[in-house]
Short mmCIF file of all heavy atoms in Angstrom, two decimals:
data_model
loop_
_atom_site.label_atom_id
_atom_site.label_comp_id
_atom_site.label_asym_id
_atom_site.label_seq_id
_atom_site.Cartn_x
_atom_site.Cartn_y
_atom_site.Cartn_z
N ILE A 515 -29.94 -17.53 91.56
CA ILE A 515 -30.12 -18.70 92.42
C ILE A 515 -29.36 -19.86 91.78
O ILE A 515 -29.47 -20.09 90.57
CB ILE A 515 -31.59 -19.10 92.58
CG1 ILE A 515 -32.39 -18.00 93.28
CG2 ILE A 515 -31.74 -20.40 93.36
CD1 ILE A 515 -33.87 -18.33 93.45
N ALA A 516 -28.62 -20.60 92.58
CA ALA A 516 -27.94 -21.80 92.08
C ALA A 516 -28.98 -22.88 91.79
O ALA A 516 -29.99 -22.99 92.50
CB ALA A 516 -26.92 -22.28 93.09
N SER A 517 -28.73 -23.66 90.76
CA SER A 517 -29.67 -24.72 90.41
C SER A 517 -28.92 -25.99 90.02
O SER A 517 -27.71 -25.97 89.75
CB SER A 517 -30.57 -24.28 89.24
OG SER A 517 -29.79 -23.97 88.10
N SER A 518 -29.65 -27.07 89.99
CA SER A 518 -29.13 -28.35 89.53
C SER A 518 -29.91 -28.71 88.29
O SER A 518 -31.14 -28.77 88.32
CB SER A 518 -29.31 -29.42 90.61
OG SER A 518 -28.73 -30.64 90.22
N VAL A 519 -29.21 -28.95 87.16
CA VAL A 519 -29.86 -29.04 85.86
C VAL A 519 -29.45 -30.30 85.11
O VAL A 519 -28.26 -30.61 84.99
CB VAL A 519 -29.52 -27.81 85.00
CG1 VAL A 519 -30.22 -27.89 83.64
CG2 VAL A 519 -29.90 -26.52 85.72
N SER A 520 -30.45 -31.00 84.61
CA SER A 520 -30.24 -32.10 83.65
C SER A 520 -30.85 -31.63 82.35
O SER A 520 -32.07 -31.55 82.23
CB SER A 520 -30.90 -33.39 84.14
OG SER A 520 -30.77 -34.42 83.16
N ALA A 521 -30.02 -31.31 81.36
CA ALA A 521 -30.50 -30.66 80.15
C ALA A 521 -30.08 -31.41 78.90
O ALA A 521 -28.97 -31.94 78.81
CB ALA A 521 -29.99 -29.22 80.08
N ALA A 522 -30.98 -31.41 77.92
CA ALA A 522 -30.70 -31.90 76.57
C ALA A 522 -30.95 -30.74 75.62
O ALA A 522 -32.04 -30.62 75.05
CB ALA A 522 -31.58 -33.10 76.23
N PRO A 523 -29.97 -29.85 75.42
CA PRO A 523 -30.19 -28.67 74.59
C PRO A 523 -30.61 -29.00 73.17
O PRO A 523 -31.41 -28.28 72.57
CB PRO A 523 -28.82 -27.96 74.63
CG PRO A 523 -28.19 -28.42 75.89
CD PRO A 523 -28.64 -29.84 76.06
N ASP A 524 -30.07 -30.10 72.60
CA ASP A 524 -30.43 -30.46 71.22
C ASP A 524 -31.88 -30.89 71.12
O ASP A 524 -32.49 -30.80 70.05
CB ASP A 524 -29.51 -31.55 70.69
CG ASP A 524 -29.51 -32.81 71.54
OD1 ASP A 524 -29.86 -32.72 72.74
OD2 ASP A 524 -29.16 -33.89 71.03
N ALA A 525 -32.48 -31.36 72.23
CA ALA A 525 -33.87 -31.80 72.24
C ALA A 525 -34.80 -30.76 72.86
O ALA A 525 -36.01 -30.98 72.94
CB ALA A 525 -34.01 -33.12 73.00
N GLY A 526 -34.27 -29.64 73.34
CA GLY A 526 -35.10 -28.58 73.88
C GLY A 526 -35.81 -28.94 75.16
O GLY A 526 -36.92 -28.46 75.42
N PHE A 527 -35.16 -29.74 76.04
CA PHE A 527 -35.82 -30.18 77.27
C PHE A 527 -34.81 -30.19 78.41
O PHE A 527 -33.68 -30.66 78.25
CB PHE A 527 -36.41 -31.58 77.10
CG PHE A 527 -36.92 -32.20 78.37
CD1 PHE A 527 -37.89 -31.56 79.13
CD2 PHE A 527 -36.44 -33.41 78.82
CE1 PHE A 527 -38.37 -32.12 80.32
CE2 PHE A 527 -36.90 -33.99 80.00
CZ PHE A 527 -37.87 -33.34 80.75
N SER A 528 -35.24 -29.68 79.55
CA SER A 528 -34.39 -29.74 80.74
C SER A 528 -35.23 -29.89 81.99
O SER A 528 -36.41 -29.51 82.03
CB SER A 528 -33.49 -28.50 80.86
OG SER A 528 -34.25 -27.33 81.11
N ILE A 529 -34.60 -30.46 83.01
CA ILE A 529 -35.19 -30.58 84.35
C ILE A 529 -34.33 -29.75 85.28
O ILE A 529 -33.11 -29.89 85.30
CB ILE A 529 -35.22 -32.05 84.81
CG1 ILE A 529 -35.89 -32.94 83.77
CG2 ILE A 529 -35.94 -32.17 86.15
CD1 ILE A 529 -35.73 -34.43 84.06
N VAL A 530 -34.97 -28.89 86.06
CA VAL A 530 -34.23 -27.93 86.89
C VAL A 530 -34.74 -28.01 88.32
O VAL A 530 -35.96 -27.94 88.56
CB VAL A 530 -34.40 -26.49 86.36
CG1 VAL A 530 -33.57 -25.52 87.20
CG2 VAL A 530 -34.02 -26.41 84.89
N SER A 531 -33.84 -28.13 89.28
CA SER A 531 -34.23 -28.07 90.70
C SER A 531 -33.46 -26.95 91.39
O SER A 531 -32.32 -26.64 91.02
CB SER A 531 -33.98 -29.41 91.39
OG SER A 531 -32.59 -29.66 91.50
N TRP A 532 -34.09 -26.33 92.38
CA TRP A 532 -33.44 -25.28 93.15
C TRP A 532 -34.15 -25.11 94.48
O TRP A 532 -35.26 -25.62 94.68
CB TRP A 532 -33.44 -23.95 92.38
CG TRP A 532 -34.78 -23.26 92.26
CD1 TRP A 532 -35.25 -22.24 93.02
CD2 TRP A 532 -35.82 -23.54 91.31
NE1 TRP A 532 -36.50 -21.85 92.62
CE2 TRP A 532 -36.87 -22.63 91.56
CE3 TRP A 532 -35.96 -24.45 90.26
CZ2 TRP A 532 -38.06 -22.64 90.82
CZ3 TRP A 532 -37.12 -24.46 89.52
CH2 TRP A 532 -38.15 -23.55 89.80
N THR A 533 -33.52 -24.43 95.38
CA THR A 533 -34.12 -24.09 96.67
C THR A 533 -34.64 -22.66 96.60
O THR A 533 -33.88 -21.73 96.29
CB THR A 533 -33.10 -24.23 97.80
OG1 THR A 533 -32.59 -25.57 97.83
CG2 THR A 533 -33.75 -23.90 99.14
N GLY A 534 -35.92 -22.50 96.85
CA GLY A 534 -36.55 -21.19 96.71
C GLY A 534 -36.06 -20.17 97.72
O GLY A 534 -35.58 -20.52 98.81
N THR A 535 -36.23 -18.91 97.33
CA THR A 535 -35.81 -17.80 98.21
C THR A 535 -36.96 -16.89 98.59
O THR A 535 -36.83 -16.06 99.50
CB THR A 535 -34.74 -16.94 97.51
OG1 THR A 535 -35.32 -16.34 96.34
CG2 THR A 535 -33.54 -17.78 97.12
N GLY A 536 -38.09 -16.99 97.89
CA GLY A 536 -39.21 -16.09 98.15
C GLY A 536 -39.00 -14.70 97.61
O GLY A 536 -39.82 -13.80 97.87
N ALA A 537 -37.92 -14.49 96.84
CA ALA A 537 -37.61 -13.17 96.29
C ALA A 537 -37.52 -13.26 94.77
O ALA A 537 -37.29 -14.33 94.20
CB ALA A 537 -36.30 -12.65 96.86
N ASN A 538 -37.69 -12.13 94.09
CA ASN A 538 -37.54 -12.11 92.64
C ASN A 538 -36.14 -12.60 92.26
O ASN A 538 -35.14 -12.06 92.75
CB ASN A 538 -37.75 -10.70 92.10
CG ASN A 538 -39.18 -10.23 92.28
OD1 ASN A 538 -40.11 -11.02 92.30
ND2 ASN A 538 -39.36 -8.91 92.42
N SER A 539 -36.08 -13.61 91.38
CA SER A 539 -34.80 -14.27 91.11
C SER A 539 -34.77 -14.79 89.69
O SER A 539 -35.80 -14.88 89.00
CB SER A 539 -34.59 -15.45 92.07
OG SER A 539 -34.73 -15.05 93.42
N THR A 540 -33.56 -15.15 89.23
CA THR A 540 -33.39 -15.83 87.95
C THR A 540 -32.72 -17.17 88.17
O THR A 540 -31.86 -17.32 89.06
CB THR A 540 -32.55 -14.99 86.98
OG1 THR A 540 -31.28 -14.70 87.55
CG2 THR A 540 -33.26 -13.69 86.63
N ILE A 541 -33.10 -18.15 87.33
CA ILE A 541 -32.62 -19.53 87.48
C ILE A 541 -32.17 -20.04 86.12
O ILE A 541 -32.88 -19.88 85.11
CB ILE A 541 -33.75 -20.43 88.03
CG1 ILE A 541 -34.20 -19.91 89.40
CG2 ILE A 541 -33.30 -21.87 88.12
CD1 ILE A 541 -35.53 -20.42 89.83
N ALA A 542 -31.00 -20.66 86.05
CA ALA A 542 -30.49 -21.21 84.80
C ALA A 542 -31.28 -22.46 84.41
O ALA A 542 -31.59 -23.30 85.26
CB ALA A 542 -29.01 -21.56 84.94
N HIS A 543 -31.61 -22.56 83.11
CA HIS A 543 -32.36 -23.72 82.64
C HIS A 543 -31.52 -24.70 81.83
O HIS A 543 -31.97 -25.82 81.54
CB HIS A 543 -33.58 -23.28 81.81
CG HIS A 543 -33.26 -22.29 80.74
ND1 HIS A 543 -32.49 -22.57 79.64
CD2 HIS A 543 -33.62 -20.98 80.62
CE1 HIS A 543 -32.39 -21.50 78.86
NE2 HIS A 543 -33.07 -20.51 79.44
N GLY A 544 -30.31 -24.31 81.41
CA GLY A 544 -29.40 -25.24 80.73
C GLY A 544 -29.65 -25.45 79.26
O GLY A 544 -28.97 -26.26 78.63
N LEU A 545 -30.60 -24.72 78.68
CA LEU A 545 -30.92 -24.87 77.26
C LEU A 545 -30.21 -23.81 76.44
O LEU A 545 -29.68 -22.84 76.98
CB LEU A 545 -32.43 -24.81 77.05
CG LEU A 545 -33.24 -25.87 77.80
CD1 LEU A 545 -34.74 -25.64 77.60
CD2 LEU A 545 -32.85 -27.27 77.35
N SER A 546 -30.23 -23.97 75.11
CA SER A 546 -29.54 -23.04 74.23
C SER A 546 -30.42 -21.89 73.77
O SER A 546 -29.93 -20.94 73.16
CB SER A 546 -29.01 -23.79 73.00
OG SER A 546 -30.06 -24.44 72.31
N GLU A 547 -31.71 -21.98 74.04
CA GLU A 547 -32.63 -20.89 73.73
C GLU A 547 -33.71 -20.82 74.79
O GLU A 547 -33.86 -21.74 75.62
CB GLU A 547 -33.23 -21.03 72.35
CG GLU A 547 -34.05 -22.27 72.11
CD GLU A 547 -34.56 -22.34 70.68
OE1 GLU A 547 -33.80 -22.76 69.79
OE2 GLU A 547 -35.74 -21.99 70.46
N ALA A 548 -34.47 -19.75 74.77
CA ALA A 548 -35.47 -19.54 75.81
C ALA A 548 -36.56 -20.60 75.77
O ALA A 548 -37.11 -20.87 74.70
CB ALA A 548 -36.10 -18.16 75.66
N PRO A 549 -36.88 -21.23 76.90
CA PRO A 549 -38.00 -22.16 76.92
C PRO A 549 -39.32 -21.43 76.67
O PRO A 549 -39.51 -20.31 77.13
CB PRO A 549 -37.95 -22.77 78.33
CG PRO A 549 -37.15 -21.80 79.15
CD PRO A 549 -36.21 -21.13 78.21
N LYS A 550 -40.21 -22.09 75.94
CA LYS A 550 -41.52 -21.51 75.64
C LYS A 550 -42.59 -22.03 76.59
O LYS A 550 -43.68 -21.46 76.67
CB LYS A 550 -41.92 -21.82 74.21
CG LYS A 550 -41.05 -21.15 73.16
CD LYS A 550 -41.58 -21.40 71.76
CE LYS A 550 -40.77 -20.65 70.73
NZ LYS A 550 -41.32 -20.82 69.35
#
Side-chain angles (χ1 to χ4, degrees):
I515 296 180
S517 60
S518 184
V519 181
S520 176
D524 57 338
F527 172 57
S528 67
I529 307 170
V530 183
S531 69
W532 72 98
T533 302
T535 63
N538 294 331
S539 307
T540 57
I541 300 162
H543 49 67
L545 301 176
S546 58
E547 61 182 81
K550 294 185 176 183

